[in-house]
Amino acid sequence: DPKTAKDFDDALSYEERENQIVVGVHIADVSHYVKADTALNAEAAERATSVYLVDRTIPMLPEVLSNELCSLKPNVDRLAFSVFFSVTKEGVITGKEITKTVIHSDRRFAYEDAQEIIEGKPDEKLATAILFCNKVALKLKEQRFANGAINFETPEVRFVLDESGKPIGLQTKVRKEAHKMIEEWMLMANKTIAKFMKKEGAKIQAPFVYRTHDEPSYEKLVDLKMFAKKFGHTIHIESMKSLSADINKLVKAIEGKPEEYLLNNLAIRSMAKAVYTTQKSSHFGLAFKYYCHFTSPIRRYPDLLCHRWIHRFLTNKEKGDMGKLEGLAKHSSMMEQKASDAERASIKYKQAEFLQTRIGEEFAGVVS
């Protein structure tokens, strides 16, 4: 997690067995505490997401749950929903098991700590686990891009605030291998759960919420193609597979150039919006046939729904009201958009507040 994190959604475990290694992805079991048909559930469903503004967080759940009971803190027993992956020593995933667990976390890592181990810092107890998980994550990432995933690595800027919440400086967030390692294992868990429910759950028409991302519209792609051409870049928009490869090439080619921000933004805007739905399971941007959100139930309601419905399917093959679930999925998509708008507005507000103190100074900029 980031050093400043207060809630811990996820954990990784590593266990050596005879001819293989078992890597566990463990996610906080929020559904154990937030039961359907309770006031707590109704409030979480209404909020649908935590909102992250520059100077505060508006959580989806009460802090006694999000920061305490559900949080996978070190050195205490915690309830989790887990996916165990059987992996060969060469890093090939050969099997999976989905089950509820009680975990006892040995250590809480900030990304910086794990990164030091990846870069060679000795750690007698945990270096083997981290280096192996990272080796497999690099393979998974390579596979994703070979299958047509799109890589938008836009730099994120973070405000440095004083005690009163006033911005006094800026920092660029740097995404290193440790961040990407966790991301790949979370993507793998999400994909595995979605595939299991689409194939096994569908046999009895068990409802489930997927995170789906459609192919971009042809009109938006024509705009992107014309704009990129003005800067000397070619994008083929006839086939979606070659489109992904061309966008990845473009993103690499414009890195550090004046047109980077403009073309990156245009490429992102040409994509469809990802939404929650019970109807469809594919994700164009990640090049996954099956995808859902399972790994952040502390801060996203659809993940909590995924936990609830996969548990109902695993324990008693329960069917449910697909229409009601679709309504909750649509509401979650709408609230996600509202949260994103609020986040952007809070950034603009802090930008203006920051620049208020710099009136009269000159800056270099790009007009797009």
Side-chain angles (χ1 to χ4, degrees):
D1 289 282
K3 273 191 170 149
T4 52
K6 292 191 174 68
D7 59 65
F8 313 135
D9 270 305
D10 50 72
L12 283 182
S13 67
Y14 170 93
E15 186 192 344
E16 291 181 12
R17 294 194 187 158
E18 275 174 33
N19 299 317
Q20 59 180 12
I21 285 146
V22 176
V23 175
V25 176
H26 309 277
I27 309 301
D29 184 11
V30 176
S31 63
H32 179 84
Y33 299 98
V34 182
K35 303 288 189 199
D37 306 321
T38 61
L40 184 59
N41 181 62
E43 182 65 27
E46 181 55 40
R47 293 179 180 221
T49 180
S50 293
V51 184
Y52 296 92
L53 306 180
V54 173
D55 59 351
R56 74 199 76 175
T57 297
I58 299 140
M60 178 180 83
L61 298 171
E63 283 186 16
V64 69
L65 284 181
S66 58
N67 293 2
E68 296 299 331
L69 262 183
C70 296
S71 209
L72 304 181
K73 295 183 161 198
N75 309 314
V76 286
D77 287 356
R78 281 292 183 259
L79 302 180
F81 215 140
S82 305
V83 188
F84 291 99
F85 294 99
S86 302
V87 193
T88 65
K89 288 182 177 166
E90 292 69 47
V92 179
I93 294 174
T94 56
K96 54 108 179 56
E97 184 194 355
I98 301 162
T99 181
K100 286 204 174 191
T101 53
V102 180
I103 69 163
H104 190 94
S105 173
D106 290 312
R107 180 156 164 201
R108 182 233 158 167
F109 275 99
Y111 284 118
E112 293 83 350
D113 308 328
Q115 185 60 34
E116 284 178 356
I117 291 172
I118 289 169
E119 288 172 7
K121 184 183 175 185
D123 185 308
E124 212 172 290
K125 194 178 175 193
L126 294 163
T128 307
I130 285 178
L131 295 173
F132 181 80
C133 288
N134 191 50
K135 179 176 91 170
V136 181
L138 291 169
K139 279 193 172 185
L140 293 173
K141 187 181 176 198
E142 203 179 296
Q143 235 168 314
R144 253 188 333 112
F145 287 114
N147 291 341
I150 296 176
N151 182 27
F152 289 121
E153 284 278 352
T154 48
E156 260 188 87
V157 175
R158 197 166 63 82
F159 289 98
V160 180
L161 306 175
D162 67 12
E163 297 78 48
S164 65
K166 284 258 189 299
I168 51 172
L170 294 164
Q171 285 175 346
T172 306
K173 286 185 195 170
V174 182
R175 266 170 52 79
K176 292 196 171 177
E177 263 185 72
H179 296 80
K180 294 171 190 175
M181 170 179 82
I182 296 299
E183 182 178 51
E184 287 304 326
W185 281 106
M186 296 308 131
L187 289 175
M188 194 61 196
N190 287 336
K191 173 183 159 181
T192 301
I193 294 285
K195 185 177 179 180
F196 176 78
M197 284 306 283
K198 191 71 179 172
K199 294 200 160 183
E200 298 303 315
K203 289 175 186 172
I204 62 151
Q205 293 176 313
F208 197 65
V209 175
Y210 299 96
R211 174 70 166 175
T212 189
H213 183 233
D214 281 334
E215 292 178 351
S217 77
Y218 188 73
E219 291 75 17
K220 283 184 175 178
L221 289 177
V222 170
D223 285 350
L224 175 63
K225 181 179 176 169
M226 283 169 62
F227 243 95
K229 199 174 176 185
K230 287 181 181 178
F231 292 98
H233 305 285
T234 307
I235 294 177
H236 298 96
I237 59 175
E238 298 71 36
S239 122
M240 287 300 143
K241 190 94 187 230
S242 66
L243 170 72
S244 304
D246 281 2
I247 287 181
N248 285 336
K249 265 188 224 158
L250 173 72
V251 168
K252 218 172 177 124
I254 60 178
E255 216 174 289
K257 293 186 177 164
E259 69 268 24
E260 178 180 17
Y261 178 77
L262 170 68
L263 286 175
N264 245 335
N265 254 6
L266 205 60
I268 290 167
R269 285 184 191 175
S270 71
M271 296 293 126
K273 273 195 167 58
V275 293
Y276 297 107
T277 179
T278 59
Q279 307 301 313
K280 197 178 168 203
S281 68
S282 61
H283 196 292
F284 170 74
L286 292 168
F288 286 162
K289 205 171 169 185
Y290 311 97
Y291 193 62
C292 69
H293 271 171
F294 169 79
T295 51
S296 290
I298 287 176
R299 61 187 178 89
R300 292 187 304 225
Y301 191 70
D303 303 52
L304 173 55
L305 286 174
C306 284
H307 282 217
R308 192 173 284 157
W309 282 102
I310 194 169
H311 180 62
R312 286 175 177 178
F313 173 71
L314 286 169
T315 49
N316 56 10
K317 302 285 185 273
E318 192 180 320
K319 292 182 185 178
D321 183 344
M322 193 75 92
K324 190 179 175 189
L325 206 58
E326 181 61 23
L328 284 167
K330 281 199 167 112
H331 172 73
S332 296
S333 298
M334 184 188 79
M335 293 305 283
E336 179 188 45
Q337 187 58 53
K338 281 178 88 167
S340 174
D341 292 345
E343 196 179 321
R344 274 200 286 269
S346 111
I347 290 167
K348 284 182 177 175
Y349 183 88
K350 289 294 175 190
Q351 283 171 341
E353 202 176 16
F354 180 62
L355 286 172
Q356 240 180 357
T357 63
R358 318 294 294 268
I359 289 167
E361 291 182 41
E362 279 187 19
F363 298 93
V366 176
V367 178
S368 63

